[in-house]
């Protein structure tokens, strides 16, 4: 129930000044109000609009209560003294009226006091003279809506003590609304939910963002799968009898996982799909991610040899691009081994020989202008730089006949932008746009003149052209009404143990409907992620199963001594030791030599091992020297090769049993390729990484991010283990200092 009056309401302090303000009532509310000259009420659909009015709590004011109490007492008193004279009675009445009047005055004073207490408008009906000033202030007040709930809360807060108690009993307040706070204009503003940050996307969701759909749909191959090469039938592998025989002669009796997946794809049973040219049904491009030493070279070399063996005329039909000369030489050996007796001609271009020498080996006719080019080789294996040299500087060197373009160690090569090699190669495989177009009507109208025109266009002798290049011939095109477009038949094959996932780099390859093969370990129990593609894109690479990995955290100053201890303690031979640069390779080799000299001169030192043969292998050496050193190492005449990262990729030396990273690799890809020089083709191998104390945190994090930390066992070297090597080491160090101080 709500009583409207003026002066004592808890709301008066806030709303008294409002010229008009609405109060919304619930259906249960009752309103008692008093009107005066200055008050008016309007009722609109459940709202009462008050003009210059206060809201009062129902019930009597304190002054009124006091007045009524006294009046009651006076009446009681009269009853107790009934025998009074007339005058007395009249006096009593006068006194009573006077008292009433006083009480009224008191009431007004009381009202003013309440208002002053609330530092609000001291509105008094008895003091109309103040009205104009008050009205001005009232106009400034905002028009506000209040609900009965708010009224209730307000009244309780404002009337302290007994008054508050009184209000509580008299005022019908819904219980739920009782705790509402004092209402201020700011509180009446609409409130909005606080902004909150959206949930961060997961790491895997981010990794998969923007990926090529073809990569998402990759075919995942279990690395443990093998397929026997049977000489009977040969349907399972799609290999010809000749190829099966050759492979078996090479000691290859079964196909490795990557080969089992790739061979049927590149050598379909349908003979039409094996043809050299497929202008109306061009083959799909292929991207392969498979661990180091898993047999990727044979996975592309075998199908290339099988398909090209059907050729009649020599044309450059397969181009294999590799990052280093050493790899070119290695892949050439593989091609030569498997193409024996097939009549295929294999060439290389690395810059190892003079340009003219290479030209004479690659192109048959360098004097005539031949639209179809002139090639002496069917398969060319090259580095990108030298390839561009021939593209731009060798007459009749043409890539128009290419059936296969292989980019091995693709991530490394795509990171190189030497002379925009990739753009130039791709442009050379595409036919140029026709310069003129002959219509059928023209042909019918003036066949003779057209023929003369065509004759005059080019007098160049042509060699056989790729079907997609036929418009270059000096004859009019026969208009075709068939919707098909002739496509080039060049199939791109990309390989790496750490294949790039960079969409921009993949886009630059202009892949045609690419098919991805990912040779990836099957998830083990407890693996958080069971997504091979995700593992590839997040650089959780697969390592050879037969590889054991160790790390030794050590002080920088003790690193050379720990290396020497490691080699002698574990009888390490047939090892590659990787350093961070050619310069540190040279220094370490010298220190090693001085140490071995000191050790063997005193009878073998810690063990009786004869002097270890160590050689450096880095870009500081000439090509011929490098070739000779690598040959000696392969022949096991050199036990340990200390090298830069020049041979960290692709090099296949089957007897390498240990890899030592003397300088820890700074990225996971480098680590994968280094350790991948051992444990190849199912053989056992061990990898050791010497990590300086200040690098330990970074290295561990790097390996951990690749979900590989548990595979790398930490080894500890005790001081007493080093003691036996210390005298020889210090002697070697002194000699090394002397050498460097002389330089
Ligand atoms: N099916 C096979 N059976 C036996 N040995 C094989 C087979 N396939 C390949 N190899 C041998 O495995 C070794 C590694 O092969 P390859 O060099 O092709 O590995 P890769 O996958 O290219 O490694 P990387 O990524 O390090 O270049 C080679 O010596 C090769 O002869």
């Amino acid at each position: 129930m709500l009583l409207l009056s003026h002066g004592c309401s808890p709301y008066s302090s806030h709303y008294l000044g409002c010229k008009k303000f609405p109060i919304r009532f619930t259906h249960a509310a009752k309103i008692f109000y008093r009107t005066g000259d200055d008050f008016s009420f309007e009722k609109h659909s459940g709202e009462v609009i008050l003009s210059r009015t206060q809201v009062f709590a129902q019930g009597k004011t304190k002054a009124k209560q006091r007045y009524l109490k006294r009046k009651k007492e006076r009446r009681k008193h009269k009853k107790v003294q009934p025998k009074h004279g007339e005058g007395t009675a009249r006096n009593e009445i006068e006194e009573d009226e006077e008292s009433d009047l006083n009480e009224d005055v008191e009431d007004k004073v009381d009202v003013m006091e309440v208002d002053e207490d609330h530092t609000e408008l001291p509105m008094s009906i008895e003091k109309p003279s103040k009205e104009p000033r008050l009205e001005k202030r009232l106009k400034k007040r905002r028009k506000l809506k209040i609900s009965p709930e708010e009224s209730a809360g307000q009244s309780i807060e404002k009337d302290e003590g007994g008054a508050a108690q009184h209000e509580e009993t008299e005022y019908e307040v819904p219980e739920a609304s009782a705790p509402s706070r004092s209402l201020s204009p700011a509180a009446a503003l609409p409130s909005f939910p606080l902004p909150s940050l959206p949930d961060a996307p997961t790491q895997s969701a981010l990794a998969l963002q923007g990926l090529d759909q073809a990569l998402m749909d990759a075919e995942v191959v279990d690395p443990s799968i093998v397929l026997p090469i049977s000489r009977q039938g040969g349907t399972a592998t799609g290999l010809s009898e000749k190829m099966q025989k050759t492979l078996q002669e090479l000691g290859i009796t079964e196909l490795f996982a990557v080969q089992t997946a790739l061979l049927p794809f590149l050598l379909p049973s349908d003979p039409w799909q094996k043809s050299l040219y497929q202008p109306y049904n061009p083959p799909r491009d292929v991207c392969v991610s498979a661990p180091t030493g898993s047999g990727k070279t044979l996975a592309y070399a075998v199908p290339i040899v099988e398909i090209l063996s059907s050729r009649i005329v020599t044309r450059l039909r397969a181009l294999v691009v590799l990052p280093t000369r050493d790899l070119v030489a290695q892949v050439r050996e593989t091609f030569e081994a498997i193409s024996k007796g097939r009549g295929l001609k294999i060439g290389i271009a690395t810059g190892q020989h003079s340009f003219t020498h290479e030209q004479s080996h690659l192109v048959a006719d360098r004097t005539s202008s031949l639209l179809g080019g002139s090639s002496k080789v069917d398969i060319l294996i090259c580095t990108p730089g030298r390839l561009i040299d021939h593209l731009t500087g060798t007459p009749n060197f043409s890539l128009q006949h290419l059936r296969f373009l292989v980019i091995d160690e693709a991530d490394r090569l795509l990171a190189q932008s030497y002379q925009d090699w990739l753009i130039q190669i791709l442009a050379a495989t595409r036919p140029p746009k026709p310069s003129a177009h002959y219509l059928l009507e023209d042909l019918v109208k003036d066949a003779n003149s057209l023929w003369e025109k065509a004759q005059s266009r080019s007098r160049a002798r042509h060699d056989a052209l790729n079907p997609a290049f036929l418009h270059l011939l000096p004859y009019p095109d026969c208009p075709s009404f068939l919707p098909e477009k002739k496509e080039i038949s060049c199939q791109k094959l990309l390989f790496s143990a750490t294949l790039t996932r960079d969409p921009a780099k993949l886009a630059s390859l202009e892949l045609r409907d690419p098919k991805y093969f990912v040779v990836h370990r099957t998830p083990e129990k407890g693996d958080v992620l069971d997504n091979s593609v995700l593992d590839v894109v997040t650089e959780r690479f697969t390592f050879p199963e037969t590889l054991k990995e160790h790390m030794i955290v050590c002080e920088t100053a003790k690193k050379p001594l720990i290396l020497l201890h490691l080699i002698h303690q574990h009888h390490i031979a047939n090892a590659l030791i990787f350093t961070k640069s050619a310069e540190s390779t040279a220094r370490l080799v010298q220190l090693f030599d001085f140490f071995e000299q000191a050790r063997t001169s005193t009878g073998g030192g810690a063990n009786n091992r004869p002097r270890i043969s160590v050689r450096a292998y880095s870009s500081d050496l000439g090509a011929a020297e490098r070739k000779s050193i690598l040959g000696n190492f392969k022949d096991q005449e050199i036990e340990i090769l200390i090298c830069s990262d020049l041979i960290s990729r692709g090099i296949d030396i089957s007897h390498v049993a240990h890899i030592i990273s003397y300088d820890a690799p700074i990225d996971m890809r480098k680590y994968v390729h280094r350790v991948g020089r051992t444990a190849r083709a199912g053989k056992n191998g061990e990898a050791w990484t010497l990590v300086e104390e200040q690098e330990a945190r970074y290295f561990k994090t790097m390996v951990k991010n690749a979900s590989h930390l548990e595979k790398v066992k930490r080894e500890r070297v005790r001081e007493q283990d080093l003691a036996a090597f210390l005298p020889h080491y210090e002697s070697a160090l002194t000699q090394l200092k002397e050498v460097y101080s002389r330089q």
Side-chain angles (χ1 to χ4, degrees):
M1 200 186 300
L2 204 69
L3 173 66
L4 304 180
S5 178
H6 89 275
C8 65
S9 163
Y11 286 91
S12 63
S13 62
H14 294 289
Y15 301 114
L16 187 60
C18 297
K19 194 173 180 187
K20 278 193 172 189
F21 66 93
I23 305 172
R24 189 175 288 117
F25 297 100
T26 62
H27 65 280
K30 290 180 182 177
I31 311 163
F32 296 89
Y33 57 83
R34 183 167 76 186
T35 56
D37 290 341
D38 297 312
F39 307 102
S40 66
F41 301 87
E42 298 161 38
K43 192 171 178 188
H44 296 287
S45 59
E47 283 183 352
V48 175
I49 310 297
L50 284 81
S51 303
R52 294 187 58 208
T53 303
Q54 306 118 311
V55 182
F56 281 75
Q58 191 218 16
K60 296 145 188 157
T61 63
K62 278 196 258 176
K64 189 82 179 172
Q65 279 174 334
R66 282 199 297 276
Y67 163 69
L68 290 171
K69 197 176 168 189
R70 273 184 227 158
K71 203 171 177 178
K72 208 174 172 183
E73 278 169 7
R74 277 202 299 274
R75 279 187 186 144
K76 257 187 198 171
H77 188 69
K78 268 188 202 170
K79 281 179 189 171
V80 174
Q81 297 171 331
K83 292 174 186 175
H84 276 278
E86 219 180 284
T88 316
R90 193 191 57 84
N91 285 346
E92 279 293 334
I93 292 162
E94 277 173 10
E95 203 180 295
D96 222 349
E97 280 170 2
E98 223 178 275
S99 167
D100 274 355
L101 194 68
N102 287 340
E103 288 294 344
D104 275 351
V105 172
E106 201 179 316
D107 199 356
K108 301 296 175 285
V109 171
D110 199 9
V111 167
M112 285 180 74
E113 273 171 15
V114 170
D115 282 343
E116 276 161 13
D117 280 349
H118 293 100
T119 62
E120 275 295 329
L121 183 64
M123 184 174 174
S124 168
I125 299 165
E126 261 65 41
K127 296 176 181 174
S129 57
K130 286 188 180 176
E131 283 289 313
R133 188 167 61 86
L134 291 175
E135 253 179 23
K136 262 187 198 170
R137 288 172 65 182
L138 284 167
K139 277 177 190 168
K140 287 181 188 168
R141 300 294 173 101
R142 290 178 56 204
K143 183 179 173 181
L144 293 168
K145 285 187 177 187
I146 57 165
S147 64
E149 288 89 347
E150 285 163 349
S151 311
Q154 191 75 2
S155 69
I156 293 162
E157 257 190 27
K158 279 201 128 187
D159 278 16
E160 289 167 7
Q165 186 62 36
H166 171 77
E167 298 287 338
E168 272 175 11
T169 49
E170 295 285 332
Y171 207 129
E172 285 179 6
V173 179
E175 255 182 49
S177 60
S180 63
R181 310 279 314 262
S182 66
L183 191 70
S184 66
L189 291 170
S191 66
F192 298 97
L194 283 173
S196 58
L197 286 172
D199 290 340
T202 60
Q203 214 181 347
S204 46
L206 283 174
L208 293 173
Q209 263 180 19
L211 273 193
D212 189 358
Q213 187 56 40
L215 178 55
M216 306 273 270
D217 301 337
E219 183 175 329
V220 181
V221 184
D222 183 347
S224 62
I225 290 175
V226 285
L227 187 66
I229 300 170
S230 99
R231 287 191 62 193
Q232 281 80 40
T235 45
T237 56
L239 295 174
S240 67
E241 288 281 320
K242 259 188 186 171
M243 182 57 83
Q244 288 178 41
K245 192 170 171 237
T246 309
L247 290 176
Q248 284 185 342
E249 281 168 9
L250 292 170
I252 294 168
T253 52
E254 53 188 18
L255 296 179
F256 286 167
V258 65
Q259 297 156 359
T260 59
L262 213 59
L263 260 59
F265 187 81
L266 296 176
L267 288 174
S269 49
D270 180 359
W272 288 108
Q273 289 186 6
K274 284 186 193 170
S275 58
L276 283 176
Y277 294 118
Q278 301 173 33
Y280 298 113
N281 184 22
R284 293 175 73 182
D285 293 332
V286 173
C287 299
V288 179
S289 172
T292 52
S294 62
K296 292 187 286 293
T297 315
L298 276 182
Y300 63 77
V302 169
I304 288 176
V305 169
E306 286 283 71
I307 290 179
L308 298 199
S309 296
S310 65
R311 72 106 175 93
I312 295 162
V313 184
T314 301
R315 300 268 176 257
L316 177 51
R317 292 209 174 93
L319 182 66
V320 182
V321 188
L322 292 149
T324 63
R325 287 175 185 174
D326 300 320
L327 280 178
V328 168
Q330 182 179 299
V331 171
R332 181 199 197 169
E333 279 176 26
T334 307
F335 268 101
E336 282 179 343
I338 60 167
S339 63
K340 220 183 262 175
R342 297 295 190 91
L344 289 174
K345 291 170 188 160
I346 297 156
I348 59 164
T350 58
Q352 205 170 335
H353 299 287
S354 72
F355 191 56
T356 338
H357 176 87
E358 277 185 1
Q359 281 181 326
S360 63
H361 278 83
L362 298 182
V363 177
D365 183 349
R366 280 184 282 151
T367 49
S368 320
S369 171
L370 303 173
L371 287 175
S374 155
S375 182
K376 277 177 127 179
V377 295
D378 296 286
I379 300 164
L380 176 63
I381 306 154
C382 58
T383 50
R386 199 54 159 186
L387 175 66
I388 298 302
D389 292 344
H390 284 294
L391 261 183
T392 52
T394 303
N396 294 331
F397 179 82
S398 171
L399 299 184
Q400 66 175 280
H401 297 284
L402 273 195
R403 170 70 174 79
F404 294 103
L405 169 60
V406 180
I407 301 177
D408 202 348
E409 305 296 345
D411 57 324
R412 164 96 179 266
L413 280 172
L414 291 178
Q416 290 180 10
S417 58
Y418 175 75
Q419 287 189 5
D420 287 333
W421 70 271
L422 183 62
I423 295 170
Q424 292 209 46
I425 290 178
L426 294 180
T429 60
R430 279 192 299 260
K433 286 210 169 93
S435 55
H437 189 71
Y438 296 91
L439 297 174
L440 184 62
E441 301 91 76
D442 298 333
L443 196 71
V444 174
K445 267 185 206 164
D446 197 355
N448 288 335
S449 70
L450 198 62
W451 177 249
E452 278 165 23
K453 254 196 243 172
Q455 285 288 305
S456 63
R457 277 176 68 204
S458 169
R459 296 284 170 195
R461 280 172 49 220
H462 66 270
D463 202 356
L465 279 165
N466 180 317
F469 286 66
L470 284 177
H471 63 272
L472 296 178
L473 287 174
Y475 309 114
D477 285 347
C478 284
S480 169
F481 301 102
L482 295 171
E484 287 114 323
K485 218 179 109 213
K486 272 185 276 185
E487 300 268 354
I488 54 166
S489 307
C490 179
Q491 186 173 28
K492 294 173 210 111
L493 311 176
L494 272 72
F495 293 85
S496 183
T498 52
L499 194 69
T500 184
R501 61 183 168 100
D502 186 340
K505 283 185 180 149
L506 292 172
S508 69
L509 284 158
E510 298 171 16
L511 297 175
R512 182 168 45 205
D513 189 15
K515 167 86 178 164
Y516 281 79
F517 292 93
V518 174
V519 179
H520 192 71
R521 69 188 163 85
T522 39
E524 288 165 15
K525 258 189 186 173
D527 271 9
V528 184
L529 290 164
D530 183 13
N531 187 336
S532 304
V533 174
L534 187 63
D535 283 0
V536 170
V537 298
T538 53
E539 306 202 338
R540 293 186 180 96
F541 302 113
T542 302
F543 291 77
E545 291 285 316
T546 48
L547 177 69
K548 280 187 190 158
E549 292 158 85
H550 315 266
M551 72 168 171
I552 300 170
V553 178
C554 59
E555 288 172 36
T556 311
K558 286 186 181 159
K559 205 160 72 162
L561 182 59
I562 286 175
L563 172 74
L564 296 166
H565 162 262
L566 181 69
I567 288 168
H568 285 282
Q569 188 73 23
H570 293 269
H571 304 282
I572 287 177
N574 300 324
L576 293 176
I577 300 177
F578 286 101
T579 62
K580 63 184 170 207
S581 64
E583 199 218 336
S584 45
T585 297
R587 205 169 39 228
L588 191 59
V589 168
Q590 246 177 346
L591 180 74
F592 207 112
D593 268 340
F594 288 139
F595 176 82
E596 284 299 296
Q597 200 183 339
R599 183 181 67 83
T600 47
S601 63
T602 55
N607 55 29
N608 287 325
R609 190 174 172 181
R611 185 171 174 164
I612 299 172
S613 59
V614 183
R615 289 298 300 271
Y617 187 95
S618 71
S619 53
D620 277 354
L621 307 173
E625 199 179 354
R626 271 188 356 221
K627 195 181 169 193
S628 140
I629 291 171
L630 207 57
N632 290 342
F633 182 69
K634 283 181 182 171
D635 296 339
Q636 301 191 22
E637 287 165 19
I638 297 170
E639 285 176 84
I640 291 174
L641 213 53
I642 300 181
C643 47
S644 60
D645 278 307
L646 191 68
I647 52 167
S648 65
R649 269 186 188 252
I651 286 294
D652 178 56
I653 304 168
S654 57
H655 70 271
V656 172
H658 293 270
I659 297 296
I660 302 174
S661 282
Y662 177 75
D663 291 316
I666 52 163
D667 69 79
M668 201 57 198
R669 284 169 188 266
K670 199 168 263 184
Y671 180 80
V672 169
H673 288 285
R674 277 186 183 181
V675 301
R677 294 316 97 211
T678 188
R680 296 173 72 77
K683 290 198 180 76
N684 289 325
E686 289 190 67
W688 307 79
T689 307
L690 304 189
V691 186
E692 292 172 25
E693 276 168 352
Q694 70 273 14
E695 300 166 340
R697 192 190 173 98
Y698 176 85
F699 179 78
K700 281 192 211 163
T701 311
M702 180 185 85
V703 181
K704 193 177 172 192
N705 288 345
S707 301
H708 195 64
L709 193 57
E710 68 282 1
K711 293 276 161 71
V712 185
K713 196 177 158 202
R714 186 165 175 179
E715 308 286 345
R716 285 167 210 280
V717 180
R718 294 171 304 168
E719 285 291 321
Q720 58 264 41
D721 295 338
L722 297 174
F725 299 91
L726 206 54
H728 302 132
Y729 172 66
E730 279 173 352
S731 151
L733 216 52
T734 315
Q735 287 185 66
L736 189 71
K737 273 181 196 163
E738 277 172 24
V739 170
Y740 274 83
S741 60
R742 265 187 261 129
Q743 285 172 357

